[in-house]
């Protein structure tokens, strides 16, 4: 079975192999593989009519929904680049990202249209209700509180001047022939702080994404049959959700139950309709779903495999594994590696480790001072994890300097993470970058600090991640108050809620007299964190 050269051909092959199999289930509305492939070609025509051609960037500001998938594959069929954005991001962040990649067209969920309407780029609005089953669409029109609440969560009125993507795609004639593209051309972009923490757009090619999807499918060997039902609870705008759920799912002919956000009650409703066989998520999702299932008396034993990533698994792993009767595979990756680098093998999962390298991926642990020298990993010496393989990105859009810094002189990708050899398995020792991993989301301390520092009651601030059983880490602010002021956590959160995504808002706050600094006067977050841990003891 030769690997398809492009993601578009991957979807075409799946539609030819499993035309009548359900590809997506969105709140009960289904699309078969042949319908999904046709709708993607209609989306491509609608975008071509808006002037999108090969090499252009198309921004998708959407939660998980069938329109994300059709917009993604539609852009690729034109030879354009699909740029995925977080719909919960503040307007300022979306503006920066869209301007950085110079998008030709924006597909925006109705609830995000107002954030981008002021840009000079054409915007098409996407209505999630249009993708729902007819019965549910009718129910949403009822003048009852439950319908009103759901309507408010899913949609919003948009100015008449903004055309509807759903209507344009419905009327369009399907694109007959996809553009011919080189497998090494960039097809998707995701945003990250990379190893330096300053936001950048990561370029991912067909080769990167196809190879990583195939490696994921091969890792969970029993999945290579079209009988799986995967719950798409991880966002498609994140590398983990895009590759492991959306792309790998289509590669193996799975049915994806698509959720606009993670919600335990929606998942449990879906379990009655279409039981999950393969769950991919982050640890807080497993513990929340397990609690809700136990309370509702709903069994989770249809789940045969679980993949967990983005943050370390703790005690929940055993309870989840018992309830599902399925091993939990922990993995490690980053956006720049499409994303998977390592995972625990099905035969011998070891909680708390990063596992072993995925097929076609090589890893090394090198000296923090000199990345050309390997550390003595047999003796357990920690080293920076560096990677080589077909999933490694060419670098960052329009940022040659940072793209160059991403690699060693010998062509190995630098992860910026420090790992150790734990009896043949890799384990994460520390994070070189000071990214806070909160419930599976990356939070950049400097972005939170910049928002807080502007406030009148704040003299200075350092933001760190403090350990938390449920979320991995919680965003914590150490604040030096302005003279005579006493800021509170509630007041700080209220004032910065417009500047940051909700998951980046601090959940803990400490008032301090001064922040730990280096000889040069630079705040040392690591020392600030140590001091706060002391105070908590």
């Amino acid at each position: 079975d030769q690997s398809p050269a492009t993601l578009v051909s991957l979807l075409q092959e799946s539609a030819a192999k499993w035309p009548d199999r359900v590809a997506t289930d969105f709140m009960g509305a289904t699309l078969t593989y042949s319908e999904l492939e046709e709708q993607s070609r209609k989306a491509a025509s609608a975008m071509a009519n808006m002037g999108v051609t090969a090499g252009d960037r198309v921004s998708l500001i959407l939660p998980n929904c069938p329109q994300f998938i059709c917009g993604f594959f539609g852009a690729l069929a034109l030879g354009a680049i699909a740029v995925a954005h977080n719909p919960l991001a503040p307007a300022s962040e979306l503006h920066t990202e869209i301007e950085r990649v110079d998008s030709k067209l924006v597909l925006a969920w109705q609830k995000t249209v107002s954030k981008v309407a002021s840009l000079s780029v054409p915007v098409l609005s996407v209505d999630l209700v249009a993708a729902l089953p007819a019965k549910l669409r009718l129910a949403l029109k009822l003048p009852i509180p439950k319908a009103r609440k759901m309507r408010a969560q899913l949609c919003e009125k948009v100015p008449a001047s903004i055309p509807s993507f759903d209507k344009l795609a419905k009327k369009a004639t399907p694109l007959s022939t996809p553009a011919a593209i080189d497998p090494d051309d960039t097809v998707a972009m995701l945003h990250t702080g990379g190893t330096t923490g300053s936001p950048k757009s990561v370029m991912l090619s067909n080769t990167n994404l196809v190879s990583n999807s195939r490696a994921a499918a091969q890792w969970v060997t029993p999945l290579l049959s079209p009988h799986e039902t995967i719950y798409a609870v991880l966002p498609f705008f994140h590398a983990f959700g895009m590759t492991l759920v959306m792309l790998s799912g289509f590669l193996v002919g799975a049915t994806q139950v698509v959720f606009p956000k993670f919600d335990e009650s929606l998942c449990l409703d879906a379990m009655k309709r279409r039981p999950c066989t393969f769950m991919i998520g982050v640890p807080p999702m497993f513990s929340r779903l397990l609690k809700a299932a136990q309370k509702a008396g709903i069994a989770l034993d249809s789940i045969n495999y679980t993949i967990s990533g983005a943050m370390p698994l703790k005690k929940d792993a055993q309870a989840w594994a018992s309830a599902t009767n399925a091993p939990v595979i922990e993995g490690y990756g980053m956006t720049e590696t499409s994303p998977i680098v390592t995972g625990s093998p099905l035969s011998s999962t070891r909680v708390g480790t990063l596992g072993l390298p995925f097929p076609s991926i090589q890893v090394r642990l090198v000296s923090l001072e000199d990345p050309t020298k390997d550390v003595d990993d047999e003796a357990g010496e920690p080293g920076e994890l560096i990677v080589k393989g077909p999933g490694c990105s060419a670098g960052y859009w329009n940022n040659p300097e940072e793209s160059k810094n991403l690699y060693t002189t010998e062509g190995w990708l630098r992860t910026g993470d420090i790992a150790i050899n734990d009896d043949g398995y890799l384990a994460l020792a520390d994070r070189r970058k000071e990214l806070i991993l909160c419930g599976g989301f990356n939070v950049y301390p400097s972005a939170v600090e910049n928002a807080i520092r502007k406030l009148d009651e704040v003299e200075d601030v350092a933001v760190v991640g403090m350990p938390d059983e449920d979320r991995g880490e919680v965003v914590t602010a150490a604040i030096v108050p302005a003279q005579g002021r006493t800021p509170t956590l509630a007041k700080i959160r209220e004032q910065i809620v417009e500047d940051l995504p909700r998951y980046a808002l601090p959940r803990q706050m400490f008032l301090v007299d001064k922040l730990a600094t280096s000889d040069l006067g630079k705040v040392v977050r690591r020392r600030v964190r140590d001091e706060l841990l002391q105070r908590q003891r």
Side-chain angles (χ1 to χ4, degrees):
D1 182 16
Q2 282 306 299
S3 96
T6 68
L7 293 170
V8 170
S9 64
L10 179 153
L11 185 60
Q12 286 174 329
E13 284 183 20
S14 295
K17 263 191 227 171
W18 306 293
D20 303 324
R21 174 142 176 83
V22 172
T24 61
D25 173 320
F26 186 63
M27 313 283 208
T30 59
L31 286 174
T32 63
Y33 270 89
S34 58
E35 287 167 342
L36 182 73
E37 201 267 335
E38 185 185 34
Q39 289 213 5
S40 299
R41 288 189 286 119
K42 291 182 85 155
S45 286
M47 290 188 264
N49 295 338
M50 293 293 295
V52 175
T53 58
D56 286 339
R57 274 75 62 206
V58 174
S59 281
L60 308 174
I61 315 175
L62 302 167
N64 290 5
C65 55
Q67 294 98 320
F68 183 105
I69 300 166
C70 295
F72 180 89
F73 281 99
L76 270 54
L78 296 173
I81 298 169
V83 185
H85 306 264
N86 179 353
L88 303 179
S92 56
E93 193 177 303
L94 293 170
H95 286 209
T96 306
E97 290 173 357
I98 291 166
E99 284 162 2
R100 186 164 62 230
V101 301
D102 190 18
S103 291
K104 182 76 173 269
L105 180 67
V106 176
L107 305 188
W109 176 28
Q110 285 179 339
K111 290 182 79 69
T112 60
V113 165
S114 59
K115 295 182 189 177
V116 291
S118 64
L119 292 171
S120 57
V121 191
V123 175
L124 298 180
S125 74
V126 173
D127 179 8
L128 294 198
V129 174
L132 295 175
K135 208 164 80 178
L136 198 47
R137 287 204 302 272
L138 284 172
L140 282 182
K141 291 181 177 165
L142 297 173
I144 56 172
K146 193 179 174 186
R148 273 199 294 271
K149 187 183 171 195
M150 193 167 179
R151 235 182 6 249
Q153 283 182 345
L154 291 177
C155 47
E156 202 164 284
K157 253 189 131 34
V158 297
S161 57
I162 307 267
S164 156
F165 169 70
D166 303 286
K167 288 177 182 164
L168 292 177
K170 200 173 177 179
K171 284 191 303 205
T173 309
L175 180 78
S176 54
T177 316
I181 54 171
D182 186 309
D184 290 328
D185 284 348
T186 298
V187 290
M189 283 199 270
L190 302 170
H191 311 282
T192 179
T195 51
T196 61
S198 59
K200 293 175 281 291
S201 302
V202 179
M203 303 185 288
L204 298 171
S205 69
N206 272 298
T207 300
N208 294 153
L209 293 167
V210 170
S211 67
N212 213 262
S213 304
R214 287 195 77 81
Q218 283 165 358
W219 198 254
V220 191
T221 38
L223 284 188
L224 289 172
S225 65
H227 304 297
E228 300 298 336
T229 298
I230 301 178
Y231 276 18
V233 288
L234 287 170
F236 293 152
F237 61 77
H238 191 287
F240 193 13
M242 181 180 282
T243 302
L244 256 88
V245 183
M246 182 172 86
L247 301 177
S248 301
F250 291 147
L251 181 72
V252 298
T255 293
Q256 294 186 39
V257 182
V258 178
F259 299 89
K261 62 172 188 174
F262 174 68
D263 178 312
E264 305 93 307
S265 60
L266 287 181
C267 288
L268 293 178
D269 284 348
M271 284 298 275
K272 298 170 203 164
R273 181 177 78 244
R274 210 176 277 279
C276 176
T277 64
F278 187 26
M279 184 80 183
I280 303 170
V282 294
M285 290 178 174
F286 306 137
S287 49
R288 280 171 54 187
L289 191 53
L290 182 56
K291 272 185 203 140
Q294 286 169 339
K295 196 173 166 190
I298 293 174
L300 298 175
D301 56 2
S302 62
I303 298 170
N304 300 319
Y305 313 99
T306 299
I307 288 189
S308 172
M311 56 194 288
L313 256 183
K314 294 267 169 33
K315 57 178 178 16
D316 307 324
Q318 201 41 59
W320 176 263
S322 315
T324 60
N325 222 350
V328 180
I329 304 166
E330 264 182 287
Y332 164 83
M334 55 194 290
T335 310
E336 290 88 340
T337 53
S338 310
I340 310 214
V341 174
T342 63
S344 273
L346 268 177
S347 55
S348 56
T349 58
R350 273 183 32 204
V351 172
T353 68
L354 306 178
L356 307 172
F358 259 46
S360 73
I361 294 164
Q362 302 171 61
V363 299
R364 282 168 62 196
L365 295 180
V366 296
S367 156
L368 304 186
E369 283 72 46
D370 180 357
T372 63
K373 290 194 169 71
D374 289 49
V375 298
D376 183 358
D377 61 358
E378 293 298 317
E381 189 184 339
E384 183 181 357
L385 179 60
I386 61 173
V387 182
K388 208 179 241 191
C392 293
S393 162
Y396 307 108
W397 182 260
N398 271 355
N399 198 332
E401 187 60 26
E402 288 283 10
S403 299
K404 190 176 162 222
N405 293 341
L406 181 62
Y407 282 89
T408 69
T409 50
E410 303 166 308
W412 289 75
L413 185 141
R414 303 186 65 163
T415 67
D417 285 327
I418 300 163
I420 54 170
N421 174 355
D422 178 0
D423 194 21
Y425 282 56
L426 278 173
L428 205 58
D430 202 355
R431 298 198 160 263
R432 203 166 200 179
K433 41 190 189 239
E434 291 169 324
L435 221 54
I436 299 168
L437 292 183
C438 176
F441 285 103
N442 287 352
V443 177
Y444 301 106
S446 52
V448 187
E449 286 166 359
N450 293 343
I452 296 174
R453 208 173 271 122
K454 287 189 253 179
L455 307 179
D456 294 339
E457 57 262 60
V458 174
E459 181 67 38
D460 203 358
V461 59
V463 169
V464 296
M466 296 282 274
D468 178 82
E469 275 195 359
D470 290 330
R471 293 187 179 84
E473 289 180 298
V474 285
V475 181
T476 304
I479 290 175
V480 180
Q483 186 120 23
R485 306 294 286 268
T486 313
T488 65
L489 180 61
K491 191 83 174 42
I492 295 279
R493 282 171 62 96
E494 184 185 306
Q495 291 179 89
I496 62 172
V497 72
E498 294 298 321
D499 300 326
L500 297 165
R502 290 203 77 80
Y503 59 78
L505 295 173
R507 287 177 178 267
Q508 288 188 135
M509 187 186 89
F510 291 86
L511 296 180
V512 297
D513 297 327
K514 62 181 194 314
L515 299 170
T517 57
S518 68
D519 299 340
L520 297 170
K522 186 180 173 198
V523 172
V524 182
R525 292 196 189 110
R526 179 174 37 82
R527 283 175 42 207
V528 171
R529 184 175 182 270
D530 290 346
E531 287 175 8
L532 297 184
L533 285 168
Q534 287 290 341
R535 278 177 66 165
Q536 276 191 333
R537 283 191 185 121

